[in-house]
Amino acid sequence: MVRTLSIVVWLLLIILPIGSGVLFLLLSSFHPQTVVNSAALVNLLSEYESIVGSFMLAVVAPLGACYLALWMAPGLLQRPRLQQLLSPLLSIPHVSFAVGLMLLMSPSGWLIRLVDSVSGLFPSPPAGWPLPEKSLVTVMVVLVLKELPFLLLMISAQLKQLPVSSWLTQAQSCGYSERQAWWRIVAPELLRRLTLPMAAVIIYSLSVVDIPLLVGSNTQALLAQRVYEWTFQFSTDSQVKSITGAWVLLAMAFVLLLINTRHAAMYRCLVLCKKVNTRSAWWNSNKASQYVWALLGILALAIIVILALQSLASHWFYPTLWPASLSLERWQTEGPYLAEPASYSFWLALTSALFGTLAAIVLLQRQRQKAANAFYWPVLIALFIPQVPLILGWQFVLREPLSDGWQIGWVLWSHAVYTLPYSYLVLYGAYVRFDQQWLTRAQSLGYSAREAWWRIMLPMLKQPIAVAFAVAFAVSIAQYLPTQWLGQGLTPTLTTEAVSVASGGDWRIGSLYALLQMLLPLVVFVAIGLIRTQSYAEHS
Amino acid sequence: MLNIRNLNIGTLSDSAMTPLLSVEELTINKGEIVTLMGPSGVGKSTLLRWVLGESLPYFCIEGELTLNGKNIGDLSIAKRQLGMMFQKGGLFPHLTVKENCLFAQKARSVLPVKQQKGKASTMLKKLGLWEKWSVYPDSLSGGQYARIALICSLLAEPQAMLLDEPFSALDANLREEVRQWAFAQLQEKEIPTLLVTHDRADACGRILKLEQGEIQQEVANV
């Protein structure tokens, strides 16, 4: 039964979506009307600013997040409870995070207002503020800060598998400081193990559309954003451009993934050749990274508070620090419009997270049956292909079913394609490490293999399964492109509405959608945190 | 009585089979404890796991296995009625002591739950561990854990018992005490027991030494 189910999962959630995406690109590239040739490529290269911008974003944001995570990770060794901070941070969708960050840090944001209220330095929003409301740098900052908790969670999982403490002690006995030992001994191994999560972050940064729509530059759109826009234009020229753009995105993804596979080796060469500095820089200390942990926590809290305040503020003009008055008026006015997207978001997230988590369990159980414990990266392949060409393919393949009114079903399917790899990523460690001896013992007491799985393995893995579900739920809530394209505007979610409202410049109503978008996964994470489970992980 | 005959264990690598262990005949009588000793990698734990009925994909194993005259070689683990106590994992961590005791009985016992409870609580009271009835295994000391794990195994009424270095996690003082108690329990209930260990101090009953892929000699009877 598990075998059959795993074949169904492979076909429906891995082979069909990836195959159709690639098939579409190939078919349309050779189609007489939309043929991709050197002229099309030259035409596209005139948009070199978009290509360079996308490339820079896909290099700087993942690297920034990665090294910041490595710098902060020793905090996880000293205070393992910090890991609990990561779940709520992870639950904040990118769009909510971007809206909240802008309300806090933009030139007219709360931080500037605070500085002005104390010093009177900024009677009007500063012109040269490094984090303008719309720029490539702003997109980079949003992505770095948003990918940081994901990478820290991945590092935290790896730290549990490595004898880091003894490595650090051993290196310190050779005369290295704790931090030097961390960067020279632990970081290279962690980087090697972060190859797959980094690949996912790189591809996300390369193909992200909703964040640039919100906080990206209006004049220099990123390539994924341009491809997204071209597909909505019906001229043949735009169609050719969109297909050529999709190919360029795939080529860039391929190059970046290739470089990513050499990242750990390059770092190792670099760090081992580096002279040992006997004086430690102030910023490279455990204390400094602890401050950043605190800042990260404050930032998450501040984002929730500012979104709530903004949604309740009746008037809040610059440079006043607090709103003139608070009222529920906006909630009441927007209430009827919020209900539909909130309901779509919730049900889509619930069902796709359920499907994704169950599919991940099926694949992992099949791996256990085959005694194949190695991480099976093809399950994550949807994360390694830019979303734009992939979903463009789905839209093409599903033209007829979509016009027959099956949008919601296909949106659900597209969400499940993305919830599966994240559930697999979260569950993998706990599932494959689960000691067979527990099941054997249950069987020796007279229980069948199936009964042992239900009565022993499932309850013992309750916590990681719940976390996988919560992550999948958050992933579904944050989906923009699949919902927008396959839903054809008929399945509005909080994410699609937040992007369309906030990208139009209305941050006040945008904050309403963003707050709700953030609260849904947060509630799930909090609920899971409240489940007291004596899980396998706690006892092993 | 547990009987093993014509057992051949080989390791599989690159589709080639390397002989590991052969046992012509090994019989463990009612109430008898047999200890198999030998260095790591000699195949003693593999033998034990084969008796238990685990699937061992990297081994090629042939042999006959009977329990009280009945061939159990083709039966699933659940149907063999063999108790086990291995190095770790005696008690399920997500179940309380009470739940562990009831879980151990539920699959096979025909007694109503009330009587199952009574049986378990009587055994715990005898040991002075009654106050641990509602706690989770992680709050038990090493000695309490080992004792309750054996009680749970015995509650399932096994026809034979398999022990794989069951006391290795205990400290020296406690180890001797628990060891004496456990063997006394097994002998009192007349359960044929096969123990494998590499530590002479853990051995009990008839001691057999595994060397060069065979049972070399009967070392002693303690």
Side-chain angles (χ1 to χ4, degrees):
Chain A
M1 186 187 170
V2 174
R3 186 171 171 266
T4 316
L5 282 173
S6 77
I7 293 171
V8 172
V9 169
W10 270 100
L11 283 175
L12 274 184
L13 297 179
I14 300 166
I15 295 170
L16 177 67
I18 306 305
S20 61
V22 175
L23 188 73
F24 158 76
L25 262 188
L26 285 172
L27 285 178
S28 29
S29 304
F30 294 107
H31 193 276
Q33 276 192 332
T34 53
V35 67
V36 175
N37 51 30
S38 54
L41 195 62
V42 170
N43 193 14
L44 187 86
L45 288 178
S46 64
E47 309 273 349
Y48 69 93
E49 282 177 338
S50 300
I51 297 173
V52 172
S54 287
F55 195 80
M56 276 174 62
L57 182 68
V59 171
V60 176
L63 281 181
C66 175
Y67 284 96
L68 194 55
L70 282 175
W71 181 68
M72 291 170 69
L76 287 167
L77 285 177
Q78 287 144 7
R79 290 199 173 91
R81 287 176 70 90
L82 281 174
Q83 201 192 322
Q84 289 173 357
L85 177 71
L86 297 176
S87 295
L89 274 170
L90 261 178
S91 73
I92 304 178
H94 286 73
V95 169
S96 303
F97 191 84
V99 174
L101 197 72
M102 280 303 93
L103 291 172
L104 277 177
M105 305 275 197
S106 73
S108 59
W110 195 80
L111 191 67
I112 294 283
R113 292 168 193 239
L114 180 69
V115 174
D116 180 68
S117 72
V118 176
S119 63
L121 273 174
F122 305 116
S124 59
W129 185 244
L131 211 62
E133 273 188 11
K134 282 184 172 285
S135 76
L136 180 61
V137 175
T138 312
V139 180
M140 277 178 188
V141 172
V142 168
L143 288 187
V144 167
L145 290 175
K146 191 59 197 78
E147 297 305 336
L148 186 62
F150 170 66
L151 290 175
L152 278 168
L153 193 74
M154 294 294 114
I155 290 176
S156 145
Q158 296 304 330
L159 286 178
K160 286 176 193 157
Q161 293 173 25
L162 295 171
V164 176
S165 299
S166 62
W167 285 359
L168 291 176
T169 313
Q170 209 177 334
Q172 284 176 85
S173 73
C174 298
Y176 292 95
S177 73
E178 196 182 339
R179 275 270 156 177
Q180 283 166 342
W182 172 265
W183 287 110
R184 284 166 186 266
I185 307 294
V186 186
E189 180 56 24
L190 284 177
L191 273 177
R192 194 179 68 78
R193 289 164 177 250
L194 281 180
T195 305
L196 284 180
M198 275 296 282
V201 175
I202 289 169
I203 296 305
Y204 179 79
S205 307
L206 184 68
S207 60
V208 64
V209 170
D210 47 1
I211 305 298
L213 280 174
L214 277 178
V215 294
S217 166
N218 281 340
T219 50
Q220 291 173 19
L222 297 170
L223 184 60
Q225 207 181 335
R226 299 291 285 150
V227 173
Y228 172 74
E229 287 162 3
W230 288 327
T231 53
F232 284 112
Q233 296 162 9
F234 294 103
S235 70
T236 314
D237 184 45
S238 301
Q239 293 304 312
V240 173
K241 266 189 163 178
S242 72
I243 293 161
T244 317
W247 273 114
V248 172
L249 276 173
L250 276 180
M252 283 164 75
F254 180 73
V255 172
L256 287 167
L257 291 183
L258 213 60
I259 297 171
N260 182 49
T261 58
R262 306 298 308 149
H263 180 197
M266 286 191 284
Y267 173 85
R268 202 171 46 239
C269 281
L270 211 72
V271 83
L272 291 181
C273 297
K274 204 178 154 216
K275 208 178 132 195
V276 180
N277 195 347
T278 46
R279 281 183 60 194
S280 215
W282 65 268
W283 55 266
N284 193 16
S285 66
N286 286 343
K287 198 153 200 172
S289 77
Q290 276 167 19
Y291 286 134
V292 177
W293 272 103
L295 277 178
L296 201 63
I298 293 168
L299 181 69
L301 199 66
I303 283 176
I304 300 174
V305 172
I306 199 82
L307 284 174
L309 270 181
Q310 183 67 262
S311 72
L312 292 170
S314 44
H315 303 290
W316 196 1
F317 299 113
Y318 189 87
T320 52
L321 190 58
W322 302 109
S325 62
L326 298 177
S327 80
L328 286 171
E329 193 190 332
R330 198 169 297 128
W331 282 96
Q332 283 161 348
T333 331
E334 285 296 315
Y337 305 107
L338 279 168
E340 195 188 15
S343 151
Y344 270 120
S345 287
F346 176 76
W347 288 110
L348 277 171
L350 189 75
T351 40
S352 66
L354 213 57
F355 280 135
T357 312
L358 288 176
I361 292 173
V362 166
L363 294 184
L364 286 163
Q365 184 59 27
R366 182 71 189 133
Q367 273 187 253
R368 273 184 78 90
Q369 280 181 351
K370 292 199 298 184
N373 283 346
F375 189 89
Y376 211 47
W377 70 266
V379 177
L380 307 191
I381 198 160
L383 306 182
F384 304 147
I385 299 177
Q387 259 196 351
V388 171
L390 205 58
I391 299 166
L392 214 63
W394 299 351
Q395 208 186 15
F396 175 80
V397 174
L398 299 172
R399 259 181 317 191
E400 279 186 22
L402 285 176
S403 59
D404 289 346
W406 280 92
Q407 289 89 354
I408 184 74
W410 288 108
V411 172
L412 175 64
W413 168 78
S414 69
H415 282 214
V417 170
Y418 287 100
T419 55
L420 163 65
Y422 281 102
S423 297
Y424 181 87
L425 205 62
V426 175
L427 256 183
Y428 169 77
Y431 211 97
V432 299
R433 278 202 306 272
F434 188 86
D435 199 335
Q436 181 65 27
Q437 206 158 291
W438 295 115
L439 296 175
T440 308
R441 181 163 169 77
Q443 287 175 68
S444 78
L445 296 171
Y447 294 90
S448 69
R450 191 171 292 178
E451 280 174 326
W453 189 88
W454 279 103
R455 286 164 173 264
I456 299 300
M457 192 163 175
L458 197 63
M460 281 169 85
L461 289 178
K462 195 156 64 177
Q463 201 158 34
I465 289 173
V467 174
F469 173 81
V471 170
F473 189 92
V475 165
S476 167
I477 288 282
Q479 290 304 315
Y480 176 72
L481 268 187
T483 320
Q484 190 76 334
W485 276 356
L486 299 188
Q488 299 185 325
L490 296 171
T491 54
T493 62
L494 291 169
T495 305
T496 59
E497 296 311 287
V499 174
S500 64
V501 171
S503 61
D506 194 339
W507 293 98
R508 287 186 302 175
I509 295 183
S511 66
L512 217 74
Y513 286 93
L515 186 67
L516 261 184
Q517 192 210 18
M518 182 172 61
L519 285 180
L520 279 180
L522 195 65
V523 167
V524 174
F525 270 103
V526 170
I528 278 160
L530 292 176
I531 300 172
R532 188 188 174 279
T533 51
Q534 295 287 320
S535 74
Y536 170 69
E538 283 168 11
H539 295 274
S540 59
Chain B
M1 185 176 76
L2 185 70
N3 182 257
I4 301 167
R5 283 176 70 190
N6 304 324
L7 174 68
N8 287 301
I9 301 178
T11 52
L12 286 173
S13 57
D14 300 331
S15 71
M17 208 268 280
T18 317
L20 181 70
L21 177 66
S22 295
V23 178
E24 206 174 302
E25 178 145 21
L26 172 62
T27 304
I28 307 163
N29 294 310
K30 223 175 174 188
E32 187 186 19
I33 296 171
V34 170
T35 304
L36 283 181
M37 282 190 64
S40 296
V42 78
K44 53 189 192 305
S45 289
T46 311
L47 183 150
L48 205 71
R49 285 169 188 279
W50 172 74
V51 174
L52 184 62
E54 271 191 69
S55 73
L56 300 159
Y58 302 110
F59 294 92
C60 176
I61 305 177
E62 283 173 353
E64 291 165 39
L65 180 67
T66 57
L67 180 64
N68 300 330
K70 187 181 156 199
N71 183 6
I72 59 165
D74 297 327
L75 297 182
S76 66
I77 304 176
K79 291 187 177 152
R80 291 192 182 198
Q81 286 197 277
L82 298 170
M84 61 177 272
M85 202 175 157
F86 286 3
Q87 284 169 9
K88 52 176 183 165
L91 296 170
F92 297 109
H94 64 298
L95 305 178
T96 60
V97 168
K98 171 190 159 191
E99 288 163 344
N100 263 292
C101 290
L102 291 178
F103 183 81
Q105 299 173 78
K106 227 171 183 175
R108 287 201 190 116
S109 179
V110 287
L111 295 175
V113 177
K114 205 173 171 186
Q115 284 183 38
Q116 290 177 16
K117 249 186 219 175
K119 202 173 155 190
S121 62
T122 310
M123 287 179 94
L124 283 178
K125 275 175 189 162
K126 258 192 200 170
L127 275 178
L129 291 171
W130 169 244
E131 76 276 13
K132 302 293 174 190
W133 183 242
S134 301
V135 305
Y136 282 97
D138 60 357
S139 53
L140 298 172
S141 70
Q144 291 168 340
Y145 187 101
R147 284 183 171 98
I148 296 174
L150 185 66
I151 284 179
C152 284
S153 293
L154 295 178
L155 282 170
E157 295 173 355
Q159 298 298 304
M161 195 74 186
L162 306 171
L163 311 178
D164 188 356
E165 310 206 8
F167 316 115
S168 59
L170 300 175
D171 62 58
N173 297 333
L174 203 60
R175 195 166 170 171
E176 188 46 33
E177 193 188 319
V178 174
R179 183 183 157 276
Q180 297 273 5
W181 172 83
F183 291 138
Q185 294 291 315
L186 292 165
Q187 278 168 331
E188 186 192 311
K189 293 190 186 310
E190 296 192 319
I191 298 172
T193 301
L194 180 59
L195 163 74
V196 301
T197 182
H198 66 269
D199 191 345
R200 183 72 174 77
D202 272 351
C204 184
R206 185 152 55 103
I207 304 175
L208 306 174
K209 202 169 178 186
L210 293 182
E211 253 179 17
Q212 294 166 350
E214 284 179 352
I215 295 177
Q216 286 291 347
Q217 51 181 308
E218 194 155 313
V219 177
N221 206 333
V222 289

